[in-house]
Coordinates of all heavy atoms in Angstrom, one line a residue:
M563 N 117.5 163.2 112.6 CA 118.5 162.5 113.4 C 117.8 162.3 114.8 O 117.3 163.2 115.4 CB 119.7 163.4 113.6 CG 120.4 163.7 112.3 SD 121.5 162.5 111.8 CE 123.0 163.1 112.5
P564 N 118.0 161.1 115.4 CA 117.4 160.8 116.7 C 118.0 161.7 117.8 O 119.2 162.1 117.7 CB 117.7 159.4 116.9 CG 118.1 158.8 115.5 CD 118.6 159.9 114.7
K565 N 117.2 162.0 118.8 CA 117.7 162.8 119.9 C 117.5 162.0 121.2 O 116.5 161.3 121.4 CB 116.8 164.1 120.1 CG 117.2 165.2 119.1 CD 116.6 166.5 119.5 CE 115.1 166.4 119.7 NZ 114.5 167.7 120.0
V566 N 118.5 162.1 122.1 CA 118.4 161.4 123.4 C 118.6 162.5 124.5 O 119.6 163.2 124.4 CB 119.4 160.3 123.5 CG1 119.2 159.6 124.8 CG2 119.4 159.3 122.4
T567 N 117.7 162.5 125.4 CA 117.9 163.4 126.6 C 118.2 162.6 127.8 O 117.4 161.7 128.1 CB 116.7 164.3 126.8 OG1 116.5 165.1 125.6 CG2 116.9 165.3 128.0
F568 N 119.3 162.9 128.4 CA 119.7 162.2 129.7 C 119.5 163.1 130.8 O 119.9 164.3 130.8 CB 121.2 161.9 129.6 CG 121.6 161.0 128.5 CD1 122.0 161.5 127.2 CD2 121.5 159.6 128.6 CE1 122.3 160.6 126.2 CE2 121.9 158.7 127.6 CZ 122.2 159.2 126.4
H569 N 118.8 162.6 131.8 CA 118.5 163.4 133.0 C 119.3 162.8 134.2 O 119.3 161.6 134.4 CB 117.0 163.3 133.4 CG 116.1 163.9 132.4 ND1 115.7 165.3 132.4 CD2 115.5 163.4 131.2 CE1 114.9 165.5 131.4 NE2 114.8 164.4 130.6
Y570 N 119.9 163.7 134.9 CA 120.7 163.3 136.1 C 120.8 164.4 137.1 O 121.2 165.5 136.7 CB 122.1 162.8 135.7 CG 122.8 162.2 136.9 CD1 122.5 161.0 137.4 CD2 123.9 162.9 137.4 CE1 123.1 160.5 138.5 CE2 124.6 162.4 138.5 CZ 124.2 161.2 139.1 OH 124.9 160.7 140.1
D571 N 120.5 164.2 138.3 CA 120.7 165.2 139.4 C 120.0 166.5 139.1 O 120.6 167.6 139.3 CB 122.2 165.4 139.5 CG 122.7 164.9 140.9 OD1 121.9 164.4 141.7 OD2 124.0 165.0 141.1
G572 N 118.9 166.5 138.5 CA 118.2 167.7 138.2 C 118.6 168.4 136.9 O 118.1 169.5 136.6
A573 N 119.6 167.9 136.3 CA 120.1 168.5 135.0 C 119.7 167.6 133.8 O 119.4 166.5 134.0 CB 121.6 168.7 135.1
A574 N 119.7 168.2 132.6 CA 119.4 167.4 131.4 C 120.4 167.8 130.4 O 120.9 168.9 130.2 CB 118.0 167.8 131.0
S575 N 120.7 166.7 129.6 CA 121.7 166.9 128.5 C 121.1 166.2 127.3 O 120.8 165.0 127.3 CB 123.0 166.3 128.9 OG 123.9 166.3 127.8
T576 N 120.9 167.0 126.2 CA 120.3 166.4 125.0 C 121.4 166.2 123.9 O 122.1 167.2 123.7 CB 119.1 167.2 124.4 OG1 118.1 167.3 125.4 CG2 118.5 166.6 123.2
V577 N 121.5 165.0 123.3 CA 122.5 164.8 122.3 C 121.8 164.3 121.0 O 120.7 163.7 121.1 CB 123.6 163.8 122.7 CG1 124.2 164.3 124.0 CG2 123.0 162.4 122.9
V578 N 122.4 164.5 119.9 CA 121.9 164.0 118.6 C 122.7 162.8 118.3 O 123.9 162.8 118.4 CB 122.0 165.1 117.5 CG1 121.6 164.6 116.2 CG2 121.1 166.3 117.9
A579 N 122.0 161.8 117.8 CA 122.7 160.5 117.4 C 122.4 160.1 116.0 O 121.5 160.7 115.4 CB 122.3 159.4 118.4
K580 N 123.2 159.2 115.5 CA 122.9 158.7 114.2 C 121.8 157.6 114.2 O 121.7 156.9 115.1 CB 124.2 158.0 113.6 CG 125.4 158.9 113.4 CD 126.5 158.2 112.8 CE 127.8 158.9 112.9 NZ 128.9 158.3 113.6
D581 N 121.1 157.6 113.1 CA 120.2 156.5 112.9 C 120.9 155.2 113.0 O 122.0 155.0 112.5 CB 119.6 156.5 111.5 CG 118.2 157.2 111.4 OD1 117.6 157.3 112.5 OD2 117.8 157.6 110.3
G582 N 120.3 154.2 113.8 CA 120.9 152.9 113.9 C 121.9 152.9 115.1 O 122.4 151.8 115.4
S583 N 122.2 154.0 115.7 CA 123.0 154.0 116.9 C 122.1 153.6 118.1 O 121.0 153.1 117.9 CB 123.5 155.4 117.1 OG 124.4 155.4 118.3
N584 N 122.6 153.7 119.3 CA 121.7 153.3 120.4 C 122.0 154.3 121.6 O 122.9 155.1 121.5 CB 122.0 151.8 120.8 CG 123.4 151.6 121.3 OD1 123.9 152.2 122.1 ND2 124.0 150.6 120.6
V585 N 121.2 154.1 122.6 CA 121.3 155.1 123.7 C 122.6 155.1 124.4 O 123.2 156.1 124.8 CB 120.1 154.8 124.7 CG1 120.3 155.6 126.0 CG2 118.8 155.1 124.1
M586 N 123.2 153.9 124.6 CA 124.6 153.8 125.2 C 125.6 154.5 124.4 O 126.4 155.3 124.8 CB 124.9 152.3 125.4 CG 126.3 152.1 126.0 SD 127.7 152.1 124.8 CE 127.4 150.6 123.9
R587 N 125.6 154.2 123.1 CA 126.6 154.9 122.2 C 126.4 156.4 122.1 O 127.4 157.2 122.1 CB 126.4 154.3 120.7 CG 127.1 153.0 120.6 CD 127.6 152.7 119.2 NE 128.2 151.4 119.2 CZ 129.3 151.1 119.8 NH1 130.0 152.0 120.4 NH2 129.7 149.8 119.8
A588 N 125.2 156.8 122.1 CA 124.9 158.3 122.1 C 125.5 158.9 123.3 O 126.1 160.0 123.2 CB 123.4 158.5 122.1
A589 N 125.5 158.3 124.5 CA 126.0 158.8 125.7 C 127.6 158.8 125.6 O 128.2 159.8 125.8 CB 125.6 158.0 126.9
V590 N 128.1 157.7 125.3 CA 129.6 157.5 125.3 C 130.2 158.5 124.2 O 131.2 159.2 124.5 CB 130.0 156.1 125.0 CG1 131.5 155.9 124.8 CG2 129.5 155.2 126.2
E591 N 129.6 158.5 123.0 CA 130.2 159.4 122.0 C 130.1 160.9 122.3 O 130.8 161.7 121.6 CB 129.6 159.0 120.6 CG 130.0 157.6 120.1 CD 129.3 157.2 118.9 OE1 128.4 157.9 118.4 OE2 129.6 156.0 118.4
N592 N 129.2 161.2 123.1 CA 129.0 162.6 123.4 C 129.5 163.0 124.8 O 129.2 164.1 125.3 CB 127.5 163.0 123.3 CG 127.1 163.0 121.8 OD1 127.5 164.0 121.1 ND2 126.5 162.0 121.3
G593 N 130.2 162.1 125.5 CA 130.8 162.4 126.8 C 129.8 162.6 127.9 O 130.1 163.4 128.8
V594 N 128.7 161.9 127.8 CA 127.7 162.0 128.9 C 128.1 161.1 130.0 O 128.3 159.9 129.8 CB 126.3 161.6 128.4 CG1 125.3 161.5 129.5 CG2 125.8 162.5 127.3
D595 N 128.3 161.7 131.2 CA 128.7 160.8 132.3 C 127.6 160.0 132.8 O 126.4 160.4 132.6 CB 129.2 161.7 133.5 CG 130.5 162.4 133.3 OD1 131.3 161.8 132.5 OD2 130.7 163.4 133.8
G596 N 127.9 158.9 133.4 CA 126.8 158.1 134.0 C 126.4 156.8 133.2 O 125.6 156.1 133.6
I597 N 127.1 156.7 132.0 CA 126.9 155.5 131.2 C 128.3 155.0 130.9 O 129.1 155.7 130.4 CB 126.2 155.8 129.9 CG1 124.8 156.3 130.1 CG2 126.2 154.5 129.0 CD1 123.7 155.3 129.9
V598 N 128.6 153.7 131.2 CA 129.9 153.2 131.0 C 130.0 152.4 129.7 O 130.9 152.7 128.9 CB 130.3 152.3 132.2 CG1 131.7 151.7 132.0 CG2 130.2 153.1 133.5
G599 N 129.2 151.5 129.5 CA 129.2 150.7 128.2 C 130.4 149.8 128.1 O 131.0 149.7 127.1
E600 N 130.7 149.2 129.2 CA 132.0 148.4 129.3 C 132.1 147.3 128.3 O 133.2 147.0 127.7 CB 132.0 147.8 130.7 CG 133.4 147.3 131.2 CD 133.4 147.0 132.6 OE1 133.1 145.8 133.0 OE2 133.6 147.9 133.4
C601 N 131.0 146.6 127.9 CA 131.1 145.5 127.0 C 130.9 145.9 125.6 O 130.9 145.1 124.6 CB 130.1 144.4 127.4 SG 128.4 144.8 126.9
G602 N 130.8 147.2 125.3 CA 130.7 147.7 124.0 C 129.3 147.4 123.3 O 129.2 147.6 122.1
G603 N 128.3 147.1 124.1 CA 127.0 146.9 123.5 C 126.6 145.5 123.3 O 125.6 145.2 122.5
Q604 N 127.2 144.6 124.0 CA 126.9 143.1 123.8 C 125.9 142.6 124.8 O 125.7 141.4 124.9 CB 128.2 142.3 123.9 CG 129.3 142.7 122.9 CD 128.8 142.6 121.5 OE1 128.3 141.5 121.0 NE2 128.9 143.7 120.7
A605 N 125.3 143.5 125.6 CA 124.3 143.0 126.6 C 125.0 142.1 127.6 O 124.4 141.1 128.0 CB 123.0 142.4 126.0
M606 N 126.2 142.4 128.0 CA 127.0 141.5 128.9 C 127.5 142.2 130.1 O 128.3 141.6 130.9 CB 128.1 140.8 128.1 CG 127.6 139.9 127.0 SD 129.0 139.2 126.0 CE 129.9 138.3 127.3
C607 N 127.2 143.5 130.3 CA 127.8 144.1 131.5 C 126.8 144.9 132.3 O 127.1 145.1 133.5 CB 128.9 145.1 131.0 SG 128.3 146.6 130.2
A608 N 125.7 145.3 131.8 CA 124.7 146.1 132.5 C 125.2 147.5 133.0 O 124.7 148.0 134.0 CB 124.1 145.3 133.7
T609 N 126.3 148.0 132.4 CA 126.8 149.3 132.8 C 126.2 150.4 131.9 O 126.8 151.5 131.9 CB 128.3 149.4 132.8 OG1 128.8 149.2 131.5 CG2 129.0 148.4 133.8
C610 N 125.2 150.1 131.2 CA 124.5 151.1 130.4 C 123.0 151.2 130.8 O 122.2 151.6 130.0 CB 124.6 150.7 128.9 SG 123.8 149.2 128.6
H611 N 122.8 150.8 132.1 CA 121.4 150.8 132.6 C 120.8 152.2 132.6 O 121.5 153.2 133.0 CB 121.5 150.3 134.1 CG 120.2 150.2 134.8 ND1 120.2 150.3 136.2 CD2 119.0 150.1 134.4 CE1 118.9 150.2 136.6 NE2 118.2 150.1 135.5
V612 N 119.6 152.3 132.1 CA 118.8 153.6 132.1 C 117.4 153.4 132.6 O 116.9 152.3 132.5 CB 118.8 154.3 130.7 CG1 120.2 154.7 130.3 CG2 118.2 153.4 129.7
Y613 N 116.8 154.4 133.1 CA 115.4 154.4 133.4 C 114.6 155.3 132.3 O 114.8 156.5 132.3 CB 115.1 155.0 134.8 CG 115.8 154.3 135.9 CD1 116.8 155.0 136.7 CD2 115.6 153.0 136.2 CE1 117.5 154.4 137.7 CE2 116.2 152.4 137.3 CZ 117.2 153.1 138.0 OH 117.8 152.4 139.1
V614 N 113.9 154.6 131.5 CA 113.2 155.3 130.4 C 112.0 156.1 131.0 O 111.2 155.6 131.8 CB 112.7 154.3 129.4 CG1 111.9 155.0 128.3 CG2 113.9 153.5 128.8
R615 N 111.8 157.3 130.6 CA 110.7 158.1 131.0 C 109.4 157.6 130.4 O 109.4 157.2 129.2 CB 110.9 159.6 130.7 CG 112.1 160.1 131.6 CD 112.0 161.6 131.8 NE 112.8 162.0 133.0 CZ 112.8 163.2 133.5 NH1 112.1 164.2 132.9 NH2 113.5 163.4 134.6
A616 N 108.3 157.8 131.1 CA 107.0 157.2 130.8 C 106.5 157.4 129.3 O 106.1 156.4 128.7 CB 106.0 157.6 131.8
P617 N 106.6 158.6 128.8 CA 106.0 158.8 127.4 C 106.7 157.9 126.4 O 106.1 157.7 125.3 CB 106.2 160.3 127.1 CG 106.5 160.9 128.4 CD 107.1 159.8 129.3
Y618 N 107.8 157.4 126.6 CA 108.6 156.7 125.6 C 108.5 155.1 125.8 O 109.0 154.4 124.9 CB 110.1 157.1 125.6 CG 110.2 158.6 125.4 CD1 110.2 159.5 126.5 CD2 110.1 159.1 124.1 CE1 110.3 160.8 126.3 CE2 110.1 160.5 123.9 CZ 110.2 161.4 125.0 OH 110.2 162.7 124.8
L619 N 107.9 154.7 126.8 CA 107.8 153.2 127.1 C 107.1 152.5 126.0 O 107.5 151.4 125.7 CB 107.1 153.0 128.4 CG 107.9 153.4 129.7 CD1 107.1 153.2 130.9 CD2 109.2 152.7 129.8
S620 N 106.1 153.1 125.4 CA 105.3 152.4 124.4 C 106.0 152.2 123.0 O 105.5 151.5 122.2 CB 104.0 153.2 124.2 OG 104.3 154.5 123.7
V621 N 107.1 152.9 122.8 CA 107.8 152.8 121.5 C 109.1 152.0 121.6 O 109.9 152.0 120.7 CB 108.0 154.2 120.8 CG1 106.7 154.8 120.4 CG2 108.9 155.1 121.7
L622 N 109.3 151.4 122.8 CA 110.6 150.7 123.0 C 110.5 149.3 122.3 O 109.5 148.7 122.2 CB 110.9 150.4 124.5 CG 111.1 151.7 125.3 CD1 111.3 151.3 126.8 CD2 112.2 152.5 124.8
P623 N 111.7 148.8 121.8 CA 111.7 147.5 121.3 C 111.4 146.5 122.5 O 111.7 146.8 123.6 CB 113.2 147.3 120.8 CG 114.0 148.3 121.5 CD 113.0 149.5 121.8
P624 N 110.9 145.3 122.2 CA 110.6 144.3 123.2 C 111.9 143.9 124.0 O 113.0 144.0 123.4 CB 110.0 143.1 122.5 CG 110.1 143.4 121.0 CD 110.6 144.8 120.8
L625 N 111.7 143.6 125.2 CA 112.8 143.1 126.1 C 113.2 141.7 125.7 O 112.3 140.8 125.8 CB 112.3 143.2 127.5 CG 113.2 142.9 128.7 CD1 114.3 144.1 128.8 CD2 112.5 142.8 130.0
S626 N 114.4 141.5 125.4 CA 114.8 140.1 125.1 C 115.1 139.4 126.4 O 115.4 140.0 127.4 CB 116.1 140.1 124.2 OG 117.2 140.6 124.9
E627 N 115.2 138.1 126.3 CA 115.5 137.2 127.5 C 116.9 137.6 128.0 O 117.1 137.7 129.2 CB 115.5 135.8 127.1 CG 115.4 134.8 128.2 CD 115.2 133.4 127.8 OE1 114.4 133.1 126.8 OE2 115.9 132.5 128.3
E628 N 117.8 137.8 127.1 CA 119.2 138.2 127.4 C 119.3 139.5 128.2 O 119.9 139.6 129.2 CB 120.0 138.3 126.1 CG 121.4 138.5 126.2 CD 122.0 138.6 124.8 OE1 121.4 139.2 123.9 OE2 123.1 138.0 124.5
E629 N 118.5 140.5 127.7 CA 118.5 141.8 128.4 C 117.8 141.7 129.7 O 118.3 142.2 130.7 CB 117.8 142.8 127.5 CG 117.8 144.2 128.1 CD 117.0 145.3 127.3 OE1 116.5 144.9 126.2 OE2 117.0 146.4 127.7
D630 N 116.8 140.9 129.8 CA 116.0 140.7 131.0 C 117.0 140.1 132.1 O 117.0 140.6 133.2 CB 114.8 139.8 130.8 CG 113.9 139.8 131.9 OD1 113.8 140.8 132.7 OD2 113.2 138.8 132.1
E631 N 117.8 139.2 131.7 CA 118.7 138.5 132.7 C 119.8 139.5 133.1 O 120.1 139.6 134.3 CB 119.4 137.3 132.0 CG 118.5 136.1 132.0 CD 119.1 135.0 131.2 OE1 120.4 135.0 131.0 OE2 118.4 134.1 130.8
M632 N 120.3 140.3 132.2 CA 121.3 141.3 132.6 C 120.8 142.4 133.5 O 121.5 142.9 134.3 CB 121.9 142.0 131.3 CG 123.0 141.1 130.6 SD 124.2 140.3 131.7 CE 124.9 141.7 132.5
L633 N 119.5 142.7 133.3 CA 118.9 143.7 134.2 C 118.8 143.3 135.6 O 118.5 144.1 136.5 CB 117.5 144.2 133.6 CG 117.6 145.1 132.4 CD1 116.3 145.2 131.7 CD2 118.1 146.5 132.8
E634 N 119.0 142.0 135.9 CA 119.0 141.5 137.2 C 120.4 141.8 137.9 O 120.6 141.5 139.0 CB 118.7 140.0 137.3 CG 117.3 139.7 136.9 CD 116.2 140.3 137.8 OE1 116.5 140.5 139.0 OE2 115.2 140.7 137.3
C635 N 121.4 142.2 137.1 CA 122.7 142.4 137.5 C 123.1 143.9 137.6 O 124.3 144.2 137.7 CB 123.7 141.7 136.6 SG 123.3 140.0 136.3
T636 N 122.2 144.8 137.5 CA 122.5 146.2 137.5 C 123.0 146.6 138.9 O 122.6 146.1 139.9 CB 121.3 147.1 137.2 OG1 120.2 146.7 138.0 CG2 120.9 146.8 135.7
A637 N 123.9 147.6 138.9 CA 124.4 148.2 140.2 C 123.3 148.9 141.0 O 123.2 148.8 142.2 CB 125.6 149.1 139.9
A638 N 122.5 149.7 140.3 CA 121.4 150.4 140.9 C 120.2 149.5 140.7 O 120.1 148.7 139.8 CB 121.2 151.8 140.2
E639 N 119.2 149.8 141.6 CA 118.0 148.9 141.6 C 117.2 149.0 140.3 O 117.1 150.1 139.7 CB 117.1 149.4 142.8 CG 116.1 148.4 143.2 CD 115.4 148.9 144.4 OE1 115.9 149.7 145.2 OE2 114.2 148.4 144.6
R640 N 116.7 147.8 139.9 CA 115.9 147.8 138.7 C 114.5 148.4 139.0 O 114.0 148.2 140.1 CB 115.7 146.3 138.3 CG 115.0 146.1 137.0 CD 115.0 144.6 136.6 NE 114.3 144.5 135.3 CZ 114.3 143.3 134.7 NH1 114.8 142.2 135.2 NH2 113.6 143.2 133.5
D641 N 114.0 149.1 138.0 CA 112.7 149.8 138.3 C 111.7 149.3 137.2 O 111.4 150.1 136.3 CB 112.9 151.3 138.3 CG 111.6 152.0 138.5 OD1 110.6 151.4 139.0 OD2 111.6 153.3 138.3
G642 N 111.2 148.1 137.3 CA 110.2 147.6 136.4 C 110.5 147.8 135.0 O 111.6 147.7 134.5
E643 N 109.4 148.2 134.2 CA 109.6 148.3 132.8 C 110.4 149.5 132.4 O 110.8 149.7 131.2 CB 108.2 148.3 132.1 CG 107.4 149.5 132.4 CD 106.1 149.6 131.7 OE1 105.9 148.9 130.6 OE2 105.2 150.3 132.1
R644 N 110.6 150.4 133.3 CA 111.5 151.6 133.0 C 112.9 151.3 132.9 O 113.7 152.0 132.3 CB 111.3 152.7 134.2 CG 110.0 153.3 134.3 CD 110.1 154.5 135.3 NE 110.9 155.5 134.8 CZ 111.8 156.2 135.5 NH1 111.9 156.0 136.8 NH2 112.5 157.1 134.9
S645 N 113.4 150.2 133.5 CA 114.8 149.8 133.4 C 115.1 149.1 132.1 O 114.4 148.1 131.8 CB 115.1 148.9 134.6 OG 115.4 149.6 135.8
R646 N 116.0 149.6 131.4 CA 116.5 149.0 130.2 C 118.0 149.2 130.0 O 118.6 150.0 130.7 CB 115.8 149.6 128.9 CG 114.3 149.5 128.9 CD 113.9 148.0 128.7 NE 114.3 147.4 127.5 CZ 113.6 147.3 126.4 NH1 112.4 147.7 126.4 NH2 114.1 146.7 125.3
L647 N 118.6 148.3 129.2 CA 120.0 148.5 128.8 C 120.0 149.5 127.7 O 119.4 149.2 126.6 CB 120.6 147.2 128.4 CG 120.7 146.1 129.5 CD1 121.3 144.8 128.9 CD2 121.4 146.6 130.7
G648 N 120.8 150.6 127.8 CA 120.9 151.6 126.8 C 121.4 151.0 125.4 O 121.0 151.5 124.4
C649 N 122.2 150.0 125.5 CA 122.8 149.4 124.3 C 121.8 148.6 123.5 O 122.0 148.3 122.3 CB 124.0 148.6 124.6 SG 123.7 147.1 125.5
Q650 N 120.7 148.3 124.1 CA 119.7 147.5 123.4 C 118.5 148.4 122.9 O 117.6 147.9 122.3 CB 119.1 146.5 124.3 CG 120.1 145.5 124.9 CD 120.9 144.8 123.8 OE1 120.3 144.1 123.0 NE2 122.2 145.0 123.7
L651 N 118.7 149.7 123.1 CA 117.7 150.7 122.6 C 118.2 151.3 121.3 O 118.9 152.4 121.3 CB 117.3 151.7 123.7 CG 116.8 151.1 125.0 CD1 116.6 152.2 126.0 CD2 115.5 150.3 124.7
T652 N 117.9 150.7 120.2 CA 118.4 151.2 118.9 C 117.6 152.4 118.5 O 116.3 152.4 118.6 CB 118.3 150.1 117.8 OG1 119.0 149.0 118.3 CG2 118.8 150.6 116.5
L653 N 118.3 153.4 118.1 CA 117.6 154.7 117.7 C 117.3 154.8 116.2 O 117.9 154.2 115.4 CB 118.6 155.9 118.1 CG 118.9 156.0 119.5 CD1 120.1 156.9 119.8 CD2 117.7 156.4 120.4
G654 N 116.2 155.5 116.0 CA 115.7 155.6 114.6 C 114.4 154.9 114.5 O 113.9 154.2 115.4
G655 N 113.7 155.1 113.4 CA 112.4 154.5 113.2 C 111.4 155.0 114.3 O 111.3 156.2 114.4
A656 N 110.8 154.1 115.0 CA 109.8 154.5 116.0 C 110.5 155.3 117.2 O 109.9 156.0 117.9 CB 109.0 153.3 116.6
L657 N 111.8 155.1 117.3 CA 112.5 155.6 118.4 C 113.4 156.8 117.9 O 114.6 156.8 117.9 CB 113.4 154.6 119.1 CG 113.7 154.8 120.6 CD1 112.5 155.0 121.4 CD2 114.5 153.6 121.1
E658 N 112.7 157.9 117.5 CA 113.4 159.1 117.0 C 113.8 160.0 118.2 O 114.6 160.8 118.0 CB 112.4 159.9 116.1 CG 112.5 159.5 114.6 CD 113.9 159.7 114.1 OE1 114.5 160.8 114.2 OE2 114.5 158.8 113.5
E659 N 113.1 159.8 119.3 CA 113.4 160.6 120.5 C 113.1 159.8 121.7 O 112.2 159.0 121.8 CB 112.5 161.9 120.4 CG 112.8 162.9 121.5 CD 111.9 164.1 121.4 OE1 111.1 164.2 120.5 OE2 112.1 165.0 122.2
I660 N 114.0 160.0 122.7 CA 113.8 159.3 124.0 C 114.4 160.1 125.1 O 115.3 160.9 124.9 CB 114.4 157.9 123.9 CG1 114.0 157.1 125.2 CG2 115.9 157.9 123.7 CD1 114.3 155.6 125.1
E661 N 113.8 160.0 126.3 CA 114.3 160.7 127.5 C 114.5 159.6 128.5 O 113.6 158.8 128.8 CB 113.4 161.8 128.0 CG 113.3 162.9 127.1 CD 112.6 164.1 127.7 OE1 112.8 164.4 128.9 OE2 111.7 164.7 127.0
V662 N 115.7 159.6 129.2 CA 116.0 158.6 130.2 C 116.6 159.3 131.4 O 117.2 160.3 131.3 CB 117.0 157.6 129.7 CG1 116.4 156.8 128.4 CG2 118.4 158.2 129.3
D663 N 116.4 158.7 132.6 CA 117.0 159.1 133.8 C 118.2 158.1 134.0 O 118.1 156.9 133.7 CB 116.1 159.0 135.0 CG 115.0 160.0 134.9 OD1 115.3 161.2 135.0 OD2 113.8 159.6 134.6
L664 N 119.3 158.7 134.5 CA 120.5 157.9 134.7 C 120.5 157.4 136.2 O 120.1 158.1 137.1 CB 121.8 158.7 134.5 CG 121.9 159.1 133.0 CD1 123.1 160.0 132.9 CD2 122.1 157.9 132.1
P665 N 120.9 156.1 136.4 CA 120.9 155.6 137.8 C 122.0 156.3 138.6 O 123.0 156.8 138.0 CB 121.1 154.1 137.6 CG 121.7 154.0 136.2 CD 121.3 155.1 135.4
E666 N 122.0 156.1 139.9 CA 123.0 156.7 140.7 C 124.4 156.1 140.4 O 125.4 156.8 140.6 CB 122.7 156.4 142.2 CG 121.7 157.4 142.8 CD 121.4 157.1 144.2 OE1 122.3 156.5 144.9 OE2 120.3 157.5 144.6
T667 N 124.4 154.9 140.1 CA 125.7 154.2 139.8 C 125.6 153.1 138.7 O 124.5 152.6 138.6 CB 126.3 153.6 141.1 OG1 127.6 153.1 140.8 CG2 125.5 152.6 141.7
Q668 N 126.6 152.8 138.0 CA 126.6 151.7 137.0 C 127.5 150.6 137.5 O 127.6 149.5 136.8 CB 127.1 152.2 135.7 CG 126.2 153.3 135.0 CD 124.9 152.7 134.4 OE1 124.6 151.5 134.5 NE2 124.2 153.6 133.8
I669 N 128.3 150.8 138.5 CA 129.3 149.8 138.9 C 129.2 149.5 140.4 O 128.9 150.4 141.2 CB 130.8 150.4 138.7 CG1 131.0 150.7 137.2 CG2 131.8 149.4 139.2 CD1 132.3 151.3 136.9
Ligands
FES1222 FE1 127.3 146.3 128.2 FE2 125.0 147.5 127.4 S1 127.1 148.2 127.1 S2 125.2 145.7 128.5

C-alpha cells in the first residue's frame, strides 16, 4: 500500500493510501490539514498544492499542460519542479512512497 508523508511546521504525518488513489485524496481521507481539494481532483482549483521532496521528483508523472496552468494560480508561491497538484499525483506503481511539504496556505 502506498505511503504519503506530509510535512508541515516541523511535524510529519504519514498515511497509507490505496493503490490508484492520489496525494490529495490521501490527505483528505485521513484528515490531514493543509490540503483542501475543493474541485475533487479535477485540476481546477489548485487547493491541493504540495512541494515534493527532492528524492521523489524523479518518479513523478509528467506535468500536464492543465496542471502547469493551475500551478500559476496557487495561493502560496510556486517552487519550480517541486510544486505539484496533489490530485495529479496518482499513487501506486513507481509512486509507492512520497514525501511532500505543505504550503502555508491553499486559499
Ligand atoms: Fe482541485 Fe487538485 S483538488 S486541483
Side-chain angles (χ1 to χ4, degrees):
M563 300 275 268
K565 280 195 308 187
V566 185
T567 301
F568 298 92
H569 296 269
Y570 184 71
D571 248 357
S575 171
T576 300
V577 304
V578 174
K580 294 183 194 125
D581 261 340
S583 185
N584 61 55
V585 170
M586 178 277 286
R587 282 211 180 288
V590 170
E591 287 172 0
N592 288 283
V594 174
D595 287 337
I597 298 256
V598 179
E600 201 168 89
C601 75
Q604 303 301 306
M606 292 175 65
C607 71
T609 63
C610 61
H611 180 205
V612 295
Y613 301 117
V614 178
R615 291 208 161 183
Y618 304 94
L619 292 174
S620 62
V621 293
L622 297 181
L625 188 68
S626 69
E627 196 175 316
E628 188 180 38
E629 183 181 1
D630 193 28
E631 280 173 19
M632 280 315 300
L633 284 167
E634 294 300 325
C635 307
T636 54
E639 199 172 337
R640 186 173 182 176
D641 183 15
E643 64 175 343
R644 292 189 65 220
S645 277
R646 295 296 299 260
L647 296 179
C649 68
Q650 301 303 299
L651 301 177
T652 302
L653 299 166
L657 207 55
E658 267 303 304
E659 188 176 358
I660 187 168
E661 293 190 42
V662 301
D663 292 291
L664 296 174
E666 278 180 25
T667 183
Q668 296 283 5
I669 299 173

